[in-house]
């Protein structure tokens, strides 16, 4: 009965296997093996971000429809197309104009045909008007009348954007959207805060007196948040925890019995020091039982991608003119740092451009002038940086020259035209933003036919760094650290007046005991109030007077019968 055996039963693993053990049996028979079985189609009138019907439709150049109120917060936070993951700007969005009938259904403005999920829908990129493709094909394309049927504006074939094609339904497959694959949330910060608010589903009108307490807490929280927003040195992470009692019942504080958690340093690496693993496998090392994270140096911490986001600017002075270069350290921090430090050091002064190919690029940065030398600021080659969206898509792109993978040193080149075949092979760290006439003169320099070396030497006289983005980053970090130290000092001294006052109006002293603001607490305050109303003349002196002994009659004592025992039994 079993698979390939003579046992009279089926094991659990055989029953749970996806391959059936007979023609029509097995646990895997209910599982669909058809490709694309998880296909979920997005309706044409739904936003690709909120997955809800849109009210202010806009679209991209490839026909993806969004609602303007949903895509703008996403672009502000991520700056990418949520469906494809490619960079997207709000200026690239095209506002769509849908025609509707009396029932509110979206229709073709010419034939008034109602749009459905099976209609081929297109839009004109220059006007935003939406038509059925049959209408555009019959009245515009075949008739060769390239004017908008609604606004009468001219358009071309490249302005026709396909919003929905029933022959290409994979374009509206929800399972292929990048933000759904990555599990990213499309909610705004306000929506996230509202969702996390525990009181958002409470009916405060039905809470009675408890509603006043909630309103008081909300008012205090709003006042504190307004004060914190106006205080640049406020850091909520440094506030001490406020408790209603100084300790537990047995007099011990919970903070004394529990070890406080260790704070993670700002420059902590993602990997550990490896001491625990090394001491476990080697008897010659001191045993370590905790996996501590390794610490990065300030330079390693700063040269992480997407950390230094401000632009840098430098001027390359050549024998034929000046070139103004914009540095982009956000996605190539090591290449930008290497260029800035070598320029400040004067490494490039007097260095010639040893290779110049017209309509391609000009290369330099080798002090030997042979194209085989050069050294980075670290004295060794450093790795490539291809994480950013930058490409060799224009004239004037500044990129690192190398001899292969992860062999960047000091040599760089400037392109004369787009060179897409160099993408993800050479690290881009800047672009020319000024002096394009100088770049033209460099391109027209006569070169030798063999090695493309300029016949007359073209050298770099000097490189001046106007704006160093790394100095700006270090300056802001120092200011932030000083502000945090000042905030720690304030918290160490007890905090501000608002931090020491709870929402009930009680003030917490340094020993975490509470006082009532504006008076004493307890029965003693009433005794003090009564004592304050008695004048000093009415208070009698505590003197000892004379005591006279008074004669008092003693009580008559009972007569006790003489004898004892049980007596005689004569009367019995």
């Amino acid at each position: 009965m079993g698979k390939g055996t003579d046992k009279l039963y089926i094991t659990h693993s055989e029953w749970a296997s996806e391959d059936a053990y007979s023609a029509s049996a097995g646990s895997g028979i209910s599982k669909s093996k058809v490709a694309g079985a998880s296909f979920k189609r997005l309706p044409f009138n739904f936003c690709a971000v909120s997955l809800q019907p849109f009210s202010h439709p806009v679209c991209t150049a490839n026909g993806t429809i969004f609602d303007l109120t949903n895509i703008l917060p996403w672009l502000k936070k991520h700056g990418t197309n949520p469906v494809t993951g490619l960079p997207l700007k709000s200026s690239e969005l095209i506002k769509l104009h849908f025609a509707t009938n009396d029932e509110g259904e979206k229709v073709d403005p010419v034939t008034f045909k109602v749009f459905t999920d099976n209609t081929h829908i297109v839009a004109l990129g220059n006007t935003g008007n939406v038509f059925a493709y049959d209408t555009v094909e019959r009245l515009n394309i075949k008739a060769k009348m390239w004017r908008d049927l609604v606004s009468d504006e001219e358009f071309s074939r490249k302005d026709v954007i396909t919003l929905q094609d029933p022959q290409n339904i994979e374009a509206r497959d929800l399972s292929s959207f990048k933000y759904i694959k990555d599990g990213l949330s499309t909610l705004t910060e306000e929506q996230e805060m509202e969702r996390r608010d525990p009181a958002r589903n409470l009916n405060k009108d039905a809470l009675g007196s408890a509603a006043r307490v909630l309103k008081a807490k909300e008012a205090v929280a709003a006042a504190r948040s307004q004060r914190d927003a106006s205080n640049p040195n406020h850091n909520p992470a440094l506030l001490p925890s406020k408790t209603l009692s100084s300790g537990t019942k047995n007099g011990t504080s919970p903070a004394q019995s529990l070890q406080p958690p260790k704070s993670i340093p700002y420059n902590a690496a993602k990997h550990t020091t490896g001491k625990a693993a090394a001491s476990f496998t080697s008897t010659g090392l001191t045993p370590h039982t905790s996996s501590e994270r390794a610490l990065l140096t300030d330079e390693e911490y700063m040269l992480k991608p997407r950390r230094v986001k401000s632009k840098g600017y430098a001027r390359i002075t050549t024998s034929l003119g000046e070139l103004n270069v914009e540095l982009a350290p956000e996605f190539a921090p090591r290449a930008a740092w290497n260029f800035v430090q070598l320029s400040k050091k004067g490494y490039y002064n007097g260095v010639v451009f040893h290779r110049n190919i017209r309509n391609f690029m000009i290369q330099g940065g080798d002090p030997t002038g042979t194209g085989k030398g050069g050294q980075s600021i670290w004295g060794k080659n450093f790795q490539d940086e291809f994480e950013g969206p930058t490409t060799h898509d224009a004239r004037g792109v500044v990129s690192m020259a190398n001899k292969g993978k992860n062999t960047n040193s000091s040599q760089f080149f400037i392109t004369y035209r787009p060179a897409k075949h160099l993408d993800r092979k050479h690290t881009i760290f800047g672009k020319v933003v000024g002096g394009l006439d100088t770049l033209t003169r460099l391109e027209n320099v006569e070169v030798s036919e063999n090695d493309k070396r300029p016949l007359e030497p073209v050298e770099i006289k000097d490189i001046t760094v106007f704006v160093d983005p790394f100095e700006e980053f270090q300056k802001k970090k120092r200011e932030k650290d000083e502000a945090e130290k000042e905030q720690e000092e304030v918290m160490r001294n007890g905090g501000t007046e608002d931090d020491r006052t709870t929402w009930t109006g009680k003030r917490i002293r340094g020993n975490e005991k509470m006082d009532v603001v504006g008076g004493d607490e307890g029965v003693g305050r009433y005794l003090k109030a009564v004592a304050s109303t008695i004048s000093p003349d009415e208070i009698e002196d505590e003197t000892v007077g004379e005591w006279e002994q008074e004669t008092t009659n003693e009580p008559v004592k009972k007569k006790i019968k003489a004898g004892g025992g049980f007596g005689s039994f004569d009367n019995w």
Side-chain angles (χ1 to χ4, degrees):
M1 185 174 181
K3 289 185 179 180
T5 64
D6 56 353
K7 57 181 179 289
L8 301 178
Y9 59 90
I10 298 174
T11 63
H12 176 270
S13 60
E14 292 174 345
W15 175 259
S17 61
E18 293 190 4
D19 54 331
Y21 46 82
S22 67
S24 59
S27 63
I29 193 170
S30 61
K31 296 184 179 180
S32 176
K33 298 182 181 179
V34 181
S38 61
F39 174 81
K40 294 181 180 179
R41 183 175 182 178
L42 181 68
F44 78 94
N45 59 338
F46 274 53
C47 171
V49 174
S50 64
L51 306 183
Q52 298 294 326
F54 52 69
S55 56
H56 304 86
V58 293
C59 75
T60 61
N62 59 358
T64 305
I65 304 178
F66 302 104
D67 193 299
L68 187 62
T69 58
N70 296 320
I71 190 61
L72 288 182
W74 175 276
L75 294 179
K76 184 178 179 181
K77 183 177 181 180
H78 300 279
T80 59
N81 189 327
V83 175
T84 61
L86 298 177
L88 181 64
K89 299 179 181 179
S90 57
S91 58
E92 300 175 1
L93 299 175
I94 303 170
K95 184 178 180 181
L96 299 179
H97 305 285
F98 279 90
T100 57
N101 56 14
D102 296 338
E103 287 78 16
E105 299 174 324
K106 294 175 174 53
V107 298
D108 182 274
V110 178
T111 63
F112 296 99
K113 179 181 178 181
V114 178
F115 291 154
T116 66
D117 289 338
N118 297 320
T119 306
H120 193 169
I121 305 173
V122 297
L124 300 184
N126 58 338
T127 62
N129 294 324
V130 182
F131 302 92
Y133 179 74
D134 296 340
T135 304
V136 175
E137 183 183 23
R138 186 172 65 255
L139 301 179
N140 292 112
I141 299 177
K142 290 185 178 180
K144 296 183 179 181
M145 195 275 293
W146 300 99
R147 303 188 72 87
D148 193 311
L149 299 175
V150 174
S151 62
D152 200 33
E153 296 183 21
E154 293 186 1
F155 70 93
S156 60
R157 183 181 287 271
K158 64 180 182 180
D159 294 329
V160 179
I161 301 174
T162 300
L163 302 181
Q164 176 179 261
D165 185 1
Q167 303 299 326
N168 183 23
I169 58 176
E170 290 81 6
R172 306 190 65 81
D173 184 9
L174 290 176
S175 60
S176 64
F177 289 2
K178 190 176 189 307
Y179 78 95
I180 295 180
K181 289 181 179 179
D182 298 341
L184 298 178
S185 174
T186 59
L187 299 178
T188 61
E189 295 182 1
E190 292 78 8
Q191 292 172 337
E192 291 283 357
M193 293 177 62
E194 182 181 357
R195 177 169 291 188
R196 289 194 298 265
D197 185 9
R200 68 187 184 97
N201 291 327
L202 294 179
N203 184 7
K204 296 181 181 179
D205 297 334
L207 292 179
S209 60
R212 293 194 295 271
V213 177
L214 292 177
K215 292 180 180 178
K217 291 183 67 175
E218 292 176 356
V220 172
R224 287 188 175 177
S225 62
Q226 184 177 3
R227 174 184 58 81
D228 296 342
S230 61
N231 183 10
N233 297 328
H234 179 75
N235 188 357
L238 301 178
L239 293 178
S241 60
K242 300 178 181 178
T243 56
L244 295 179
S245 61
S246 60
T248 55
K249 291 183 179 181
N250 56 6
T252 61
S253 174
Q256 297 176 356
S257 60
L258 297 177
Q259 184 179 3
K262 280 188 176 182
S263 59
I264 300 177
Y266 73 93
N267 58 343
K270 294 183 179 180
H271 58 275
T272 63
T273 57
K275 293 181 179 180
S279 63
F280 179 75
T281 57
S282 176
T283 57
L285 298 177
T286 304
H288 289 268
T289 57
S290 61
S291 296
E292 299 178 355
R293 297 173 66 173
L295 298 181
L296 303 175
T297 63
D298 291 340
E299 181 179 314
E300 291 174 341
Y301 171 78
M302 180 177 59
L303 297 184
K304 289 291 183 182
R306 296 180 176 88
R307 186 148 290 162
V308 180
K309 297 185 178 181
S310 58
K311 303 289 186 181
Y313 295 92
R315 180 179 63 196
I316 303 176
T317 304
T318 68
S319 56
L320 296 181
E322 296 177 349
L323 296 172
N324 294 330
V325 177
E326 181 185 78
L327 305 177
E330 182 177 1
F331 300 107
R334 287 184 170 272
W337 170 267
N338 178 67
F339 181 81
V340 169
Q341 297 306 313
L342 291 179
S343 301
K344 288 184 175 182
K345 187 180 175 182
Y347 185 85
Y348 293 117
N349 296 350
V351 175
V352 299
F353 289 101
H354 60 271
R355 191 179 178 204
N356 187 13
I357 303 176
R358 184 174 299 176
N359 204 29
F360 180 35
M361 63 88 199
I362 184 170
Q363 181 177 342
D366 179 13
T368 64
T370 62
K372 299 180 181 179
Q375 197 175 44
S376 69
I377 192 64
W378 299 282
K380 60 180 181 180
N381 296 336
F382 60 94
Q383 64 269 27
D384 299 322
E385 296 169 301
F386 299 143
E387 293 186 11
T390 54
T391 57
H392 299 82
D393 57 351
R395 178 182 175 88
V397 174
V398 184
S399 187
M400 293 297 300
N402 57 43
K403 298 184 288 290
K405 184 179 180 181
N406 298 329
T407 58
N408 301 289
S409 57
S410 64
Q411 297 187 37
F412 63 93
F413 63 89
I414 305 174
T415 61
Y416 291 139
R417 60 183 294 274
K420 302 293 288 184
H421 64 283
L422 300 180
D423 293 346
R424 305 196 64 81
K425 294 181 181 178
H426 296 271
T427 301
I428 301 172
F429 65 93
K431 63 180 179 181
V432 176
V433 294
L436 295 178
D437 53 342
T438 302
L439 193 62
T440 302
R441 287 194 293 270
L442 292 174
E443 185 177 9
N444 294 329
V445 171
E446 296 294 332
V447 298
S448 62
E449 293 295 334
N450 297 331
D451 54 0
K452 301 298 180 181
R453 187 182 186 87
L455 297 178
E456 295 183 4
V458 180
E459 67 176 13
I460 300 174
K461 294 183 177 181
D462 182 35
I463 297 181
T464 305
V465 179
F466 293 115
V467 179
D468 187 350
F470 303 100
E471 284 186 357
E472 297 290 333
F473 177 82
Q474 292 171 345
K475 180 181 178 182
K476 291 181 180 179
K477 185 178 179 303
R478 284 194 299 268
E479 294 176 354
K480 182 180 178 182
D481 294 341
E482 292 174 359
E484 289 181 353
K485 288 181 180 179
E486 293 178 0
Q487 185 69 16
E488 288 179 0
E489 187 66 25
V490 172
M491 291 298 107
R492 194 178 296 111
N493 296 332
T496 61
E497 187 66 24
D498 288 344
D499 293 332
R500 294 195 298 267
T501 304
T502 65
W503 65 274
T504 58
K506 297 182 179 180
R507 183 172 62 248
I508 299 178
R509 299 201 301 260
N511 57 358
E512 296 185 353
K513 292 184 178 180
M514 290 191 304
D515 291 338
V516 177
V517 179
D520 295 333
E521 183 179 16
V523 181
R525 60 179 178 177
Y526 300 108
L527 299 179
K528 292 180 182 179
V530 173
S532 62
T533 59
I534 302 175
S535 63
D537 296 337
E538 297 177 357
I539 302 176
E540 297 181 354
D541 294 336
E542 295 183 0
T543 58
V544 179
E546 295 180 356
W547 178 66
E548 296 179 356
Q549 184 177 2
E550 297 179 357
T551 58
T552 56
N553 296 328
E554 295 182 0
V556 180
K557 295 182 179 180
K558 265 185 162 184
K559 293 182 179 181
I560 302 174
K561 294 181 179 181
F566 295 100
S568 62
F569 296 93
D570 295 341
N571 295 331
W572 283 30

